[in-house]
Amino acid sequence: MRNSPQNSKITMAHGSGGKLMHDLIKKLFLQKFDNPILSSLSDSAIINLNGNPIAFTTDSYVVNPIFFPGGDIGKLAVCGTINDLAVVGANPLYLSCSVVIEEGFEYELLEKIIDSMKVTAEKAGVEIVTGDTKVVERGKGDKIFINTSGIGIIEKEDLSVENIKVGDRIILNGSIGEHGIAILSERAELGLDVNIESDCAPLNDLIQSVIKISNKVKFMRDPTRGGLATVLNEIVENRNFGIILEEEKILVKEEVKAVCEILGFDPLYIANEGKVVIIAGAEDAEKIVEVMRRHPLGKDTHIIGEIVDEPKGLVCMKTRSGGTRIVDMLVGEQLPRIC
Amino acid sequence: MRNSPQNSKITMAHGSGGKLMHDLIKKLFLQKFDNPILSSLSDSAIINLNGNPIAFTTDSYVVNPIFFPGGDIGKLAVCGTINDLAVVGANPLYLSCSVVIEEGFEYELLEKIIDSMKVTAEKAGVEIVTGDTKVVERGKGDKIFINTSGIGIIEKEDLSVENIKVGDRIILNGSIGEHGIAILSERAELGLDVNIESDCAPLNDLIQSVIKISNKVKFMRDPTRGGLATVLNEIVENRNFGIILEEEKILVKEEVKAVCEILGFDPLYIANEGKVVIIAGAEDAEKIVEVMRRHPLGKDTHIIGEIVDEPKGLVCMKTRSGGTRIVDMLVGEQLPRIC
């Protein structure tokens, strides 16, 4: 990276969830802050406090626009961090809230955002217990950035890519791409007239309902930046197995499809904020789907694919037309600042 | 606040550590995120995880410039969060690191900052275990903002303003105002030619050396934004006691004094990043000073004042000339973006 002059400056793609971001994280952060907890590159770190396994995670939210159909930056900041805790098997308990506000930002909007954080946190059963406020000069920020970090107690241990076996099923709780397209549709310059709401939601309750009834859950992840395709590629990377998806089981709402077609996007790479990928033993897959469908956030749950022996390290998809295609990792920038 | 139109937009002063910031926090964040842990307004939240008291804190760093004499934004982000944990009696163990980078930022500078975080964390014995990377468009950020959140195990319980009694001594580990003035001196527009280094340092080791030898420590706080005067005013606010300081015991380096005189600042309100105010029972005060002076970060420790019965709720100072003056709370902005 340091030897390629075209990469000597940070670009938008370094934050888009694709390959460039992963390279940056691996070549810089992981190498410098070298420790096994960080290197696991899990959605949350799992640390040991006096013998108790605790999940700890952080995310800065820079979404633009800050208000969008189905949510706002405050709701997103609470849900995103809750979800990062929930997918590692933790019961999310406490959040921090640190804001960087641009000078001149309307007090009324700040209040609206804080209200939204409050309501979302209450619904999800977490408390915001510590915070920080910074203000930067006009033109040195963009309205508001929010960092939330979170702590939860691990209730389901040993979730790991290492546990995944050929034959395991891949379960997803509904249709994809709504968050990214909702954000995009709000960007004035595009002049899109669509009506798609972000799927932004706290998944801790849905996930706990699964953990409660099955001990065959191997691994979970929320397909946010980079979308479903990126998460699945991260799972198979350098592994002794691959993934085969069934296109017809991966739901995409008509309006999301339409916008993607206009703009040349693939919904597989569009961010979600209320979806979870669960990889579980085949024997429990149907039972898990059943329980998830009973939850308001899991009504459209499907088994979307399975773990296969070959081709190793690749995500493939059986298309509706009967063919098979490789679902590769996103290289650069697709949609900037969607979270 | 909502009724005063002049305050309907966020100003730089809302982030400066003074009265406006405190009003914003109290009237907005505390009211919305209503819970006893947050309401304690401690430097770190103290939460209970499976019966263990844990400290949890967050800070976003937006310091400008990002490199300054004695440190950089990375070192600051690690020290600041460690110190917030240490002053509530915790042993800091784990940090998160979340960066918001402006498009076009030099990779080399990012690497330098991450190196600095690594070195500082290692020296202080903490691990950076989780992180996040976001990139915003050119002109929508300012080079780099860093959020660090931190977790530590409480080793000294029951530190609280509630424990403070008349006669308790106020101990400070050295001279004040260096961090703020170091930042200021680097701002090109001022054209100051001074040579002051920030005092930026992790205080966990110094603080642990005190806790180990005395159980008479009542309360600690690091005088960052708003300086020593603001921290002391927060301590006496609405309390049944006051503080009397001795000006001659509060060290201010000649160069800090000189810059303050030129610019009309009072060093009492200038930020520090390697100082801790310890309030302790009079019977242990000398012993604590002795131990602190043996530590590299405490060589210039002094008892700078004591808790008095009257005037209640006020910080007063016996001046060198023999008079007494009130040291009030800072109302608006003094130095923006010093942390």
Side-chain angles (χ1 to χ4, degrees):
Chain A
M1 197 148 202
R2 295 161 73 185
N3 300 325
S4 36
Q6 73 275 25
N7 280 333
S8 66
K9 286 182 191 282
I10 299 296
T11 65
M12 292 304 291
H14 283 108
S16 72
K19 203 170 168 336
L20 271 178
M21 189 177 96
H22 285 264
D23 285 352
L24 177 70
I25 291 171
K26 282 193 185 152
K27 289 186 188 158
L28 186 58
F29 294 98
L30 290 196
Q31 223 173 72
K32 303 286 183 188
F33 302 151
D34 181 34
N35 66 67
I37 304 173
L38 181 66
S39 303
S40 77
L41 267 191
S42 171
D43 282 353
S44 298
I46 298 180
I47 56 183
N48 189 304
L49 287 182
N50 286 340
N52 298 301
I54 301 295
F56 177 36
T57 192
T58 189
D59 255 313
S60 286
Y61 296 85
V62 299
V63 64
N64 171 32
I66 54 175
F67 294 93
F68 49 82
D72 57 55
I73 190 170
K75 181 180 179 187
L76 188 63
V78 172
C79 293
T81 293
I82 285 175
N83 295 347
D84 279 346
L85 293 170
V87 294
V88 300
N91 178 17
L93 294 174
Y94 300 107
L95 297 189
S96 64
C97 164
S98 176
V99 295
V100 176
I101 310 173
E102 186 187 9
E103 180 187 15
F105 187 60
E106 287 85 0
Y107 182 83
E108 206 187 316
L109 297 182
L110 178 61
E111 195 174 12
K112 238 174 120 174
I113 290 165
I114 300 304
D115 265 328
S116 168
M117 294 184 79
K118 169 198 163 80
V119 169
T120 312
E122 272 176 6
K123 268 192 204 158
V126 304
E127 282 188 308
I128 297 170
V129 292
T130 188
D132 179 47
T133 309
K134 294 283 156 63
V135 182
V136 295
E137 300 87 347
R138 216 179 279 262
K140 299 291 184 186
D142 195 9
K143 297 181 187 78
I144 186 168
F145 301 147
I146 302 180
N147 176 282
T148 48
S149 299
I151 294 180
I153 294 180
I154 294 286
E155 298 196 329
K156 163 78 184 161
E157 290 192 72
D158 297 326
L159 289 171
S160 163
V161 174
E162 308 281 339
N163 301 334
I164 297 174
K165 298 233 162 0
V166 170
D168 286 349
R169 300 297 195 266
I170 300 158
I171 302 165
L172 181 69
N173 63 316
S175 52
I176 59 170
E178 283 134 60
H179 177 72
I181 298 301
I183 297 296
L184 202 64
S185 70
E186 277 299 288
R187 296 208 181 139
E189 69 264 33
L190 289 171
L192 289 176
D193 184 23
V194 288
N195 189 19
I196 298 163
E197 285 209 347
S198 165
D199 59 339
C200 182
L203 296 166
N204 51 331
D205 191 58
L206 174 70
I207 288 173
Q208 264 152 38
S209 73
V210 172
I211 287 172
K212 225 181 284 167
I213 58 108
S214 171
N215 58 6
K216 301 292 178 206
V217 175
K218 312 286 187 79
F219 187 73
M220 298 187 278
R221 199 138 210 188
D222 49 338
T224 56
R225 267 187 293 182
L228 181 62
T230 304
V231 158
L232 296 179
N233 269 286
E234 285 169 6
I235 292 171
V236 298
E237 197 184 6
N238 300 321
R239 298 282 160 189
N240 205 17
F241 56 78
I243 283 175
I244 181 90
L245 298 173
E246 285 186 62
E247 188 174 26
E248 61 172 5
K249 294 291 169 60
I250 300 173
L251 308 182
V252 186
K253 286 190 176 160
E254 281 310 319
E255 288 207 284
V256 170
K257 243 183 239 170
V259 175
C260 281
E261 269 163 27
I262 293 167
L263 299 173
F265 289 144
D266 183 338
L268 285 170
Y269 296 92
I270 307 285
N272 312 279
E273 289 291 345
K275 293 298 170 307
V276 57
V277 174
I278 298 180
I279 303 189
E283 63 273 44
D284 274 12
E286 288 298 343
K287 184 169 83 175
I288 291 170
V289 169
E290 208 175 285
V291 163
M292 288 175 77
R293 284 188 178 165
R294 270 186 246 137
H295 194 281
L297 295 172
K299 281 184 222 152
D300 294 324
T301 300
H302 281 280
I303 297 173
I304 61 164
E306 68 176 272
I307 304 294
V308 288
D309 194 31
E310 296 284 349
K312 299 187 199 304
L314 283 185
V315 178
C316 296
M317 184 156 79
K318 272 194 246 170
T319 63
R320 274 204 180 72
S321 56
T324 301
R325 70 173 176 97
I326 292 177
V327 177
D328 220 339
M329 194 142 179
L330 189 69
V331 174
E333 169 189 5
Q334 186 167 19
L335 291 175
R337 295 183 60 188
I338 45 76
C339 63
Chain B
M1 197 150 200
R2 297 160 73 185
N3 300 324
S4 35
Q6 73 275 25
N7 281 332
S8 66
K9 287 182 191 281
I10 299 296
T11 65
M12 292 305 290
H14 284 108
S16 71
K19 202 170 169 332
L20 272 177
M21 188 178 98
H22 285 265
D23 285 352
L24 177 71
I25 291 171
K26 281 193 185 152
K27 288 185 188 160
L28 186 59
F29 293 98
L30 290 197
Q31 222 172 74
K32 303 287 182 189
F33 302 152
D34 181 34
N35 67 66
I37 304 172
L38 181 66
S39 303
S40 77
L41 269 191
S42 171
D43 283 353
S44 297
I46 298 179
I47 57 182
N48 190 304
L49 287 182
N50 286 341
N52 298 301
I54 301 294
F56 177 35
T57 191
T58 189
D59 255 312
S60 287
Y61 296 84
V62 299
V63 65
N64 171 31
I66 54 175
F67 293 94
F68 49 82
D72 57 56
I73 190 170
K75 181 180 179 187
L76 188 63
V78 172
C79 293
T81 294
I82 286 176
N83 295 347
D84 279 347
L85 293 170
V87 295
V88 300
N91 178 18
L93 294 173
Y94 300 107
L95 297 188
S96 64
C97 164
S98 176
V99 294
V100 176
I101 310 173
E102 187 187 8
E103 179 187 15
F105 187 60
E106 286 86 359
Y107 183 83
E108 206 188 314
L109 296 183
L110 178 61
E111 195 175 13
K112 237 175 120 176
I113 290 165
I114 301 304
D115 266 328
S116 168
M117 294 185 78
K118 169 198 163 78
V119 169
T120 311
E122 272 175 8
K123 268 192 203 157
V126 303
E127 281 188 309
I128 297 170
V129 293
T130 188
D132 179 47
T133 309
K134 294 284 156 62
V135 182
V136 295
E137 301 88 346
R138 215 179 280 261
K140 299 290 184 186
D142 194 10
K143 298 181 187 78
I144 186 168
F145 302 146
I146 303 180
N147 176 283
T148 49
S149 299
I151 294 180
I153 294 180
I154 295 286
E155 298 197 329
K156 163 78 184 162
E157 289 192 74
D158 297 326
L159 290 171
S160 163
V161 173
E162 308 280 338
N163 301 334
I164 297 175
K165 296 235 163 359
V166 170
D168 286 349
R169 299 298 196 265
I170 300 157
I171 301 164
L172 181 68
N173 64 316
S175 52
I176 60 169
E178 282 134 58
H179 177 70
I181 298 301
I183 297 297
L184 202 64
S185 69
E186 277 299 289
R187 295 207 181 140
E189 69 264 33
L190 289 173
L192 290 175
D193 183 23
V194 287
N195 188 17
I196 299 163
E197 285 209 347
S198 165
D199 59 338
C200 182
L203 295 167
N204 51 331
D205 191 57
L206 174 69
I207 288 173
Q208 264 153 38
S209 73
V210 171
I211 288 172
K212 224 181 285 168
I213 59 107
S214 170
N215 59 5
K216 300 293 178 204
V217 175
K218 313 286 187 78
F219 187 73
M220 298 187 278
R221 199 137 208 189
D222 51 337
T224 56
R225 267 189 294 181
L228 181 63
T230 303
V231 159
L232 296 179
N233 269 286
E234 284 169 6
I235 292 172
V236 298
E237 197 185 6
N238 300 322
R239 296 286 160 187
N240 205 17
F241 56 77
I243 283 175
I244 181 90
L245 298 172
E246 285 185 62
E247 188 174 26
E248 61 173 4
K249 294 292 170 58
I250 300 173
L251 308 182
V252 186
K253 285 189 177 163
E254 280 311 318
E255 286 206 286
V256 171
K257 241 182 241 171
V259 175
C260 281
E261 269 164 27
I262 293 167
L263 298 172
F265 288 146
D266 183 337
L268 285 170
Y269 296 91
I270 307 285
N272 312 278
E273 290 290 346
K275 294 296 170 309
V276 55
V277 174
I278 297 180
I279 302 188
E283 63 272 43
D284 274 11
E286 287 298 343
K287 183 169 83 175
I288 291 170
V289 169
E290 209 174 285
V291 163
M292 288 175 76
R293 283 189 178 164
R294 270 186 246 136
H295 194 282
L297 295 173
K299 281 184 222 153
D300 294 323
T301 300
H302 281 280
I303 298 173
I304 61 164
E306 69 175 90
I307 304 294
V308 289
D309 194 32
E310 295 284 349
K312 299 185 199 307
L314 284 184
V315 178
C316 295
M317 184 156 78
K318 271 194 245 169
T319 62
R320 273 204 180 73
S321 56
T324 302
R325 70 173 176 97
I326 293 175
V327 177
D328 220 340
M329 194 142 180
L330 189 69
V331 174
E333 169 189 5
Q334 187 167 17
L335 292 176
R337 296 183 60 189
I338 44 76
C339 63

